[in-house]
Amino acid sequence: MRVALLNLIGLLLLTGCQTKQAVVPESQQQAWWKEAIVYQIYPRSFQDSNGDGVGDLQGIIDRLDYIESLGINAIWLNPIYPSPNADNGYDVSDYRGIAPEFGDMETFDRLLDELHKRGIKLIMDVVVNHSSDEHPWFIASRSDVNSPYRDYYHWWPASKGTPPYRYSLFDAKGDAWKYDSITDAYYLHYFADKQPDLNWENPALRQEVYDLMKFWAQKGVDGFRLDAFQFAAKDTTFPELPQGYEKNFIQYYAMQPGLHDYLKEMNQQVFAPYGVVSVAEGAGRSFEEAHELVDADRQELQMAYAFDGVDVAKYDGYSLATLKKVFTDWDRSFAEKGWLSIFLSNHDQARLVSRYGNDTPEHRVASIKLLNTFLLTMRGTPYVYYGDELGMTNIGMDRIEEYQDVAAVNGYAKAKFMGEDLDQHMKILAKTSRENGRTPMQWTADAMAGFTEGNPWMKINPNTAFINVQDQVADPSSPLNHFKSLTQLRKKNPVLVYGAYELLAEDHPQVYAYTRTLGEVSCLVVLNFSDQTARWAPIGLSLGAQPWINSADQLTREGKELILAPYQSVVIPLN
Ligand code: GLC
Ligand code: CA
């Protein structure tokens, strides 16, 4: 028999003097992954434990006290499998192993165990739109047209002529077909040529994938992030695409027929029986398609993440109005059903404070606090990228020789091939390259940042001299300590997880303001997204006495107006 229809959660307001009950209605279907704050770790850059200059699993274990102190409750680990590293682990050559530079299976098991002891879940990256060309499946596939592995990939025999054009995101010529002389055929690669696409139409391949996922699920991992999965289904007759749309990657390459069947099958074989959570990179081409991926009654995925938010910032900046609109529209279309992911950075983006904030000495601290306040007060599961709790910035490398990332290196080659302005290309790259987001974690002020005692695989940002964990732990007003207050606030206040979101001050050019409301509990979030003082009157709202959280020392009010310092952010209870 059902004991209670409503789930009552005692809620202690941080003001200390009021106690209110926030009610999470049953329709909200509480779940750990909705309440999670996910911290993304790029293992290569987090902590090196053996002096080879490459971050590793033992390094993560050594930093577990820090990770726990953040108040996050799940981590997403970028790929840690053996890989030739054409794309830093997104080209897997053994799905059941650990890359030797990251450690071994015993270390992985220990990491998982230690995380679980601390109440932290682990989400693994699963890269199965493609494998490495050095995976045994591909080696067998390319060597013999009669191999049982031939149909694990997409081949176009040269005897049929040149294959219909397909675009590749990472290819130096933008061509997704690569000719292979061994069997006189072309294979398909939407990413780099060392990342051949797997053929999901083949049931044998699908079973292999479910089995490898079961292997990790049996170890006890809590979730999977499906890399580039919206591209997995393909029309294997490879028709010509309409003129002008050959490169329209999302429209013509994502969400093709078959994808939902694969996800349902994966759910039946892996997610449901093992109770693991799934989040896909990419959320379709419309709100409807996003719902078709994640609505609970469809039994496919739990979460997906759309690129709209992270795509708002361009090389030359972004418009606050667009940012508000994108996040508000997504929230609206998920108000009744489904669940969102909230993020503004990851390993495929430049640094958060440099893209969406202001990384000048004057505004860096306030603006990263503002961005973290935004991420941790929105409805949806926040994904926070390592280093953004400190406000790590872009490194901005200006010579192509300094770049290692396949996207940057081949992107440059393509720009050259197309006859583009290479100086301009380099300017854009320095600001937008994803390598900006991959520099080693800044633990200390030392030249090696406390990251390694060896030669780091990637340049350390010299500003580790003044942006680092050690200093920020000791400074009560640092971004790090502000971040920790935010995670505590979110965990104590279900209104910040489940509460309805309502946009206010829609047309204000500087301020992004919204309320979150759950039953009787309501709070107001006010964010001054500009480098100027901002004034805004929250008309009709009765503000609580003290902010729950404030990025500045005080909150100035003049009559009905709030006077916000540049990049000031506050969360204020409403009574
Ligand atoms: C995803 C990953 C990215 C990778 C690509 C190919 O977009 O996030 O890092 O390069 O897929 O696997
Ligand atoms: Ca190492």
Side-chain angles (χ1 to χ4, degrees), residues 443-464:
W443 298 102
T444 68
D446 305 342
M448 289 300 124
F451 164 71
T452 183
E453 284 171 2
N455 198 1
W457 79 275
M458 176 162 190
K459 208 164 153 182
I460 288 169
N461 196 319
N463 68 18
T464 196

Side-chain angles (χ1 to χ4, degrees), residues 438-500:
R438 297 179 177 184
T439 58
M441 178 69 170
Q442 295 170 199
W443 298 102
T444 68
D446 305 342
M448 289 300 124
F451 164 71
T452 183
E453 284 171 2
N455 198 1
W457 79 275
M458 176 162 190
K459 208 164 153 182
I460 288 169
N461 196 319
N463 68 18
T464 196
F466 54 92
I467 304 175
N468 63 68
V469 171
Q470 200 173 36
D471 291 354
Q472 293 202 17
V473 165
D475 171 5
S477 64
S478 66
L480 176 61
N481 281 314
H482 180 257
F483 179 80
K484 291 182 187 176
S485 317
L486 284 166
T487 57
Q488 294 314 317
L489 187 75
R490 188 173 176 96
K491 286 197 292 190
K492 284 192 185 125
N493 292 283
V495 62
L496 291 175
V497 176
Y498 296 106

Side-chain angles (χ1 to χ4, degrees), residues 31-80:
W32 74 261
W33 46 270
K34 294 182 178 173
E35 290 164 23
I37 300 167
V38 182
Y39 184 65
Q40 183 192 344
I41 294 181
Y42 197 68
R44 187 165 292 275
S45 298
F46 197 63
Q47 177 66 61
D48 175 21
S49 71
N50 62 351
D52 67 355
V54 177
D56 46 53
L57 298 183
Q58 183 57 49
I60 300 175
I61 296 177
D62 295 343
R63 292 297 187 180
L64 280 171
D65 286 347
Y66 173 78
I67 293 168
E68 186 179 13
S69 79
L70 293 175
I72 56 88
N73 35 26
I75 65 174
W76 152 25
L77 216 50
N78 289 101
I80 53 171

Side-chain angles (χ1 to χ4, degrees), residues 40 42 76 78-79 87-91 125 127 129-130 169-170 191-192 195 225-228 231 281 305 307 346-348 405-407 434 438:
Q40 183 192 344
Y42 197 68
W76 152 25
N78 289 101
D87 183 18
N88 283 2
Y90 283 95
D91 47 324
D125 219 314
V127 191
N129 170 70
H130 45 269
L169 290 164
F170 291 169
F191 294 89
Q195 295 169 295
R225 176 242 185 211
L226 299 179
D227 182 72
F231 304 116
E281 183 194 27
Y305 59 81
F307 299 118
N346 61 30
H347 66 290
D348 292 330
D405 177 21
V406 63
R434 53 188 195 169
R438 297 179 177 184

Side-chain angles (χ1 to χ4, degrees), residues 282-349:
R285 296 166 295 192
S286 62
F287 297 134
E288 290 70 33
E289 284 190 350
H291 275 289
E292 284 165 11
L293 290 169
V294 302
D295 284 358
D297 47 8
R298 293 181 56 96
Q299 315 234 321
E300 295 184 28
L301 302 165
Q302 270 85 20
M303 282 182 281
Y305 59 81
F307 299 118
D308 295 9
V310 88
D311 283 349
V312 170
K314 308 286 181 224
Y315 162 63
D316 51 358
Y318 69 98
S319 119
L320 177 61
T322 310
L323 188 78
K324 290 185 199 180
K325 180 164 167 38
V326 164
F327 277 91
T328 304
D329 288 351
W330 272 95
D331 186 89
R332 240 171 237 155
S333 66
F334 277 70
E336 304 299 331
K337 215 177 186 195
W339 191 253
L340 294 166
S341 309
I342 300 290
F343 75 106
L344 280 177
S345 60
N346 61 30
H347 66 290
D348 292 330
Q349 307 294 336

